[in-house]
Amino acid sequence: KTYNVSPLSYQQSLRIMSAKNMLRNSEKQCKEIALETGFREQHFFSRQFKSFVGMSPSMFRKKVICETFRKS
């Protein structure tokens, strides 16, 4: 089967999905999340995250918190 995605892009998307989960469900700092998801530098992690998600990791976390608060 062909998925029209390079192995590197697929791997990065999995790492970003894992980071999104950690941002939603933990209070870990972005630097810790970057390291735990395989990024050596927080700056590169933030750029990759923004490229995939459309916002920075910190903005993503703030959005999730606001949405959770509104639902309560």
Side-chain angles (χ1 to χ4, degrees):
K1 269 186 169 177
T2 304
Y3 295 100
N4 297 324
V5 176
S6 72
L8 180 60
S9 292
Y10 178 71
Q11 180 189 40
Q12 287 180 331
S13 69
L14 292 177
R15 291 159 71 190
I16 296 298
M17 286 187 338
S18 179
K20 286 170 67 175
N21 189 43
M22 287 185 204
L23 288 164
R24 275 190 203 101
N25 300 309
S26 77
E27 294 181 13
K28 293 180 180 181
Q29 294 181 356
C30 288
K31 183 177 182 178
E32 289 178 86
I33 292 172
L35 291 172
E36 288 185 26
T37 53
F39 293 92
R40 287 186 269 169
E41 297 179 15
Q42 182 180 350
H43 181 71
F44 183 69
F45 163 68
S46 293
R47 283 192 323 209
Q48 290 295 308
F49 190 95
K50 188 170 185 177
S51 173
F52 275 80
V53 180
M55 66 184 77
S56 69
S58 57
M59 288 302 296
F60 178 82
R61 178 175 268 164
K62 287 177 187 174
K63 182 180 176 201
V64 168
I65 290 169
C66 287
E67 289 174 356
T68 303
F69 181 72
R70 282 189 215 144
K71 290 178 183 178
S72 313

